[in-house]
Amino acid sequence: MELSQFVQIRRELHKIPELGFKEFKTQEYLLNYIQKLPEDRYEIRKWRTGLLVKIFGTNPSKTIGYRTDIDGLPIDERTDLTFKSEHEGRMHACGHDFHMSIALGVLTFFVHHPIKDNLLFIFQPAEEGPGGAEPLLQSKEFKEWKPDLIFALHIAPEYPVGTIAVKEGLLFANTSELFIDLKGKGGHAAYPHQTNDMVVAASYLVTHLQSIISRNVDPLDSAVITVGKITGGTVQNIIAETARLEGTIRTLSVDSMKKVKKRIEALVKGLENGFECEASIDYGSMYHQVYNHELPTKHFMEFLKQREDVNLFICKEAMTGEDFGYMLKEIPGFMFWLGVDSPFGLHHAKINPKENAIDFSISTIIEYIQTL
């Protein structure tokens, strides 16, 4: 079976994943494609390693924005795909190759078939970190072209192709990175009484961080603290002088995020006293919740109900993080889940979304925009 143009584009993008604000090949690929389209129909502006592409309406009264993220993840791909990542230790494991190819498909259609209003396609870098949406919103380039409505999608491995999952209100959680550095006193493994062991301190802290969720967060609310990486020490017979914990915090409310951070700081302060060590906390990148605005989300859902090829699913909120939340904080709009039916989930080294979701979503988004 012959591949569609945008499935092929997805495969080419899948080969060249790059980390946040280092998407140089990706930006070049996108530019090379877009600049082959009729140049009188659009204008391009670069923003760092991203792009803003404005398609001129025939008689515009507003600007409709569509955002895609473009960065990859620091993951070694473990698929058997013929088009697997060519960049060692880098992978499009969160579907941003899908997101970009879909955006290019929609963009291409409207370059050739303009509507009344302007369209702004946002190819945003650094969604996975350190966060591109917030600084982009503050940029001169974006402010001059700021849309009146904005929307975006994210692939969902758990849903079959043809399913679009969405809801009004809170869709994705507030998220924050978490880095805790501990410094004590190292020494010989035979003389622990002369040291302050930071591996023991880190182990103690990991366990006690979970007590915040079970004893400090309202059971009817939700929060998650994950410590995904611990490093400490040098060799097996030297007591560790330093240790580092790396993780994330996720909450369904802004107030809960504040409370969780306050309790983390209290526990770390107690750890300093109890283990006679020094500790520092860095919250890294923080993402605002994705909150879908009522009216545009309802309009989108009503549109989907009219399409026989779409299975509309009213989903629950998720603890996923997405910096698109910053855009929705300033601009009315929404995000939705696109079913891609993969046995492996987001950020997994073997994720393999079904590619027939690409043409399905392109046609769905085109028809939706034509209703606005």
Side-chain angles (χ1 to χ4, degrees), residues 107-120:
L107 181 153
T108 301
F109 178 87
F110 285 111
V111 165
H112 295 290
H113 304 88
I115 59 172
K116 173 180 175 291
D117 290 311
N118 295 326
L119 297 175
L120 180 65

Side-chain angles (χ1 to χ4, degrees), residues 10-298:
R10 176 260 165 162
R11 293 186 173 193
E12 292 169 0
L13 287 166
H14 188 82
K15 293 178 182 179
I16 56 168
E18 298 167 292
L19 301 185
F21 292 130
K22 297 179 181 178
E23 306 95 331
F24 304 110
K25 289 183 181 179
T26 304
Q27 185 187 57
E28 181 182 11
Y29 182 97
L30 295 170
L31 277 172
N32 287 341
Y33 175 85
I34 295 167
Q35 288 174 341
K36 293 175 183 176
L37 300 173
E39 293 183 358
D40 61 329
R41 289 291 309 120
Y42 64 84
E43 183 179 348
I44 298 179
R45 291 181 178 178
K46 289 184 180 181
W47 179 79
R48 298 184 69 167
T49 49
L51 295 175
L52 300 175
V53 185
K54 185 176 183 179
I55 299 179
F56 307 123
T58 57
N59 186 25
S61 60
K62 64 179 182 291
T63 297
I64 301 161
Y66 182 78
R67 174 268 202 175
T68 177
D69 35 22
I70 70 173
D71 56 324
L73 283 160
I75 292 175
D76 282 308
E77 182 166 348
R78 292 191 286 118
T79 71
D80 295 321
L81 299 173
T82 58
F83 52 91
K84 68 187 298 184
S85 172
E86 296 174 350
H87 294 172
E88 186 177 352
R90 307 286 183 264
M91 181 185 177
H92 273 303
C94 202
H96 298 187
D97 51 341
F98 263 66
H99 299 173
M100 287 185 281
S101 62
I102 292 165
L104 288 175
V106 178
L107 181 153
T108 301
F109 178 87
F110 285 111
V111 165
H112 295 290
H113 304 88
I115 59 172
K116 173 180 175 291
D117 290 311
N118 295 326
L119 297 175
L120 180 65
F121 288 85
I122 303 154
F123 294 86
Q124 180 213 304
E127 185 278 325
E128 298 291 354
E134 193 173 24
L136 174 60
L137 284 167
Q138 298 166 359
S139 71
K140 176 184 176 182
E141 294 86 350
F142 187 87
K143 287 180 178 179
E144 290 180 352
W145 282 357
K146 186 175 179 179
D148 302 287
L149 170 74
I150 195 165
F151 68 105
L153 65 80
H154 201 295
I155 66 163
E158 65 271 30
Y159 297 123
V161 175
T163 293
I164 289 178
V166 68
K167 68 182 291 289
E168 298 171 42
L170 185 66
L171 185 69
F172 291 177
N174 300 275
T175 64
S176 173
E177 293 179 327
L178 176 64
F179 303 99
I180 302 174
D181 287 292
L182 306 176
K183 184 177 181 181
K185 183 181 179 182
H188 198 290
Y191 303 102
H193 58 292
Q194 297 175 358
T195 71
N196 292 322
D197 190 339
M198 291 303 98
V199 166
V200 173
S203 302
Y204 177 93
L205 183 57
V206 169
T207 303
H208 280 70
L209 286 173
Q210 300 310 314
S211 71
I212 297 173
I213 306 303
S214 63
R215 289 296 176 264
N216 300 120
V217 176
D218 186 334
L220 299 180
D221 197 353
S222 290
V224 177
I225 299 175
T226 298
V227 177
K229 181 179 179 181
I230 303 176
T231 55
T234 53
V235 294
Q236 78 274 20
N237 63 348
I238 297 177
I239 289 174
E241 183 163 322
T242 62
R244 179 175 171 87
L245 288 69
E246 300 182 16
T248 59
I249 311 166
R250 302 170 188 271
T251 70
L252 290 185
S253 70
V254 175
D255 286 344
S256 287
M257 178 62 77
K258 293 177 181 177
K259 180 179 289 186
V260 167
K261 287 184 175 181
K262 185 177 180 180
R263 287 296 300 142
I264 289 173
E265 289 158 15
L267 285 180
V268 169
K269 187 67 176 177
L271 189 84
E272 286 184 304
N273 294 328
F275 285 86
E276 296 182 338
C277 65
E278 297 175 7
S280 63
I281 303 172
D282 178 6
Y283 292 117
S285 296
M286 292 173 278
Y287 289 176
H288 189 73
Q289 64 192 21
V290 173
Y291 194 92
N292 285 342
H293 294 248
E294 179 182 0
L295 292 180
T297 308
K298 277 185 175 179

